Amino acid sequence: MQINVTRSGSVLTLGLEGRLDALTSSELESALTNSLEGMDSLVLDFSKVDYVSSAGLRAILSAHKRMSGQGGMKVTNVNEGVMEILKMTGFADILLIE
């Protein structure tokens, strides 16, 4: 997985590429741990994510919980396959998805 980090003021955008699974979710967690300090908004750009596993969902949920206390979070550019995963697991009901 590749993670492209962009900061604009207090908005952090992480552009993810590849699979978010048990092997790569720790990379996302590490990027979030190192980048969220002082951020009011987190954007996860899923335009190049083709799969999310339960480990990936845990990383997303952890980020959502942290950002609920700091400001907010949204997930953008979710493809149809990943959206099905988010709907089946109930994540589509708790995340702001654009």
Side-chain angles (χ1 to χ4, degrees):
M1 163 165 282
Q2 184 173 341
I3 302 173
N4 301 307
V5 179
T6 306
R7 289 180 184 83
S8 178
S10 63
V11 177
L12 175 68
T13 301
L14 299 182
L16 308 178
E17 294 184 34
R19 296 171 58 93
L20 182 54
D21 57 21
L23 297 174
T24 61
S25 62
S26 62
E27 294 174 39
L28 175 58
E29 290 169 346
S30 178
L32 291 167
T33 299
N34 295 328
S35 304
L36 284 180
E37 187 68 34
M39 295 291 122
D40 294 332
S41 181
L42 171 63
V43 178
L44 297 179
D45 181 353
F46 271 38
S47 59
K48 296 182 180 177
V49 173
D50 48 22
Y51 176 76
V52 178
S53 74
S54 60
L57 292 172
R58 279 192 302 276
I60 294 167
L61 183 60
S62 176
H64 180 264
K65 286 181 179 178
R66 180 165 176 191
M67 290 310 298
S68 292
Q70 284 183 232
M73 177 182 126
K74 66 182 173 182
V75 181
T76 62
N77 303 311
V78 179
N79 71 36
E80 189 176 315
V82 172
M83 183 59 87
E84 282 300 312
I85 293 168
L86 296 176
K87 286 179 181 177
M88 286 188 320
T89 58
F91 275 67
D93 296 330
I94 62 169
L95 297 174
L96 174 60
I97 301 173
E98 294 181 352

